[in-house]
Amino acid sequence: MKTLYLVRHAKSSWKYEVDDHMRPLKKRGHNDATLVSEKIKGEIESPQKIVTSDANRARTTAEYFKTALDISDDNYELTHDLYDFSGQQVMQVIKTLDNSLDKVMIVGHNHAFTSTVNMMGSEKIENLPTSGFVMIEFDEDDWKDVSTGTTKKMVFPRHLK
């Protein structure tokens, strides 16, 4: 069985004139990432690895989950492949995960993550909100074979306020 945890990056700030890739989180983003990561740490088995987009806002969000879930630096990976908004590269990252890993968290961007959750999970959502967390289980032994799984948990910031 494979378990995928998907996290959309936290709310970013448009206050600074920086390249999209470098955009930071706003205060609400830091607060929401803390809320969600702290909520799930006692409710899920920690992932064996976190793979995150290398964009500043995703990387910063992933750090909150890395800390809350006690993930080592060796099991934390930045990739430009998750700096994807359509979902094609997201699927490629998922399908090529190492099969020795059964539980993996990926952190990235919309619209790709809402599309991925709706395509792979059993529950449809209109929009995966910033700092939103979704857990999907697949009855497969090989990441390349995962397609449709069962949505087991969703935690959104609005659930915690």
Side-chain angles (χ1 to χ4, degrees), residues 30-45:
H30 289 281
N31 293 340
D32 287 353
T34 300
L35 272 175
V36 175
S37 63
E38 288 296 320
K39 170 72 173 159
I40 68 162
K41 81 176 181 182
E43 297 182 358
I44 66 164
E45 288 186 49

Side-chain angles (χ1 to χ4, degrees), residues 6-70:
L6 296 101
V7 177
R8 180 178 170 197
H9 70 75
K11 192 77 169 165
S12 58
S13 174
W14 291 83
K15 180 175 167 182
Y16 308 97
E17 290 202 24
V18 295
D19 178 71
D20 180 67
H21 197 262
M22 296 307 299
R23 200 158 4 104
L25 296 183
K26 65 189 318 177
K27 183 177 180 186
R28 180 180 135 200
H30 289 281
N31 293 340
D32 287 353
T34 300
L35 272 175
V36 175
S37 63
E38 288 296 320
K39 170 72 173 159
I40 68 162
K41 81 176 181 182
E43 297 182 358
I44 66 164
E45 288 186 49
S46 289
Q48 295 157 295
K49 185 172 198 162
I50 294 176
V51 183
T52 181
S53 161
D54 61 357
N56 188 27
R57 60 195 180 273
R59 187 177 68 242
T60 304
T61 302
E63 289 284 337
Y64 283 99
F65 287 85
K66 178 180 182 273
T67 300
L69 298 167
D70 198 27

Side-chain angles (χ1 to χ4, degrees), residues 98-148:
D98 186 321
N99 280 321
S100 68
L101 303 170
D102 293 323
K103 292 173 181 51
V104 177
M105 176 178 284
I106 61 172
V107 182
H109 309 268
N110 247 3
H111 297 286
F113 270 48
T114 295
S115 295
T116 302
V117 164
N118 285 331
M119 183 173 56
M120 299 188 92
S122 58
E123 291 187 40
K124 301 298 180 213
I125 59 171
E126 188 173 317
N127 180 51
L128 181 59
T130 53
S131 297
F133 167 89
V134 176
M135 172 183 172
I136 303 173
E137 288 184 347
F138 303 92
D139 192 18
E140 298 291 348
D141 294 322
D142 194 318
W143 286 106
K144 73 175 172 34
D145 295 330
V146 300
S147 58
T148 304

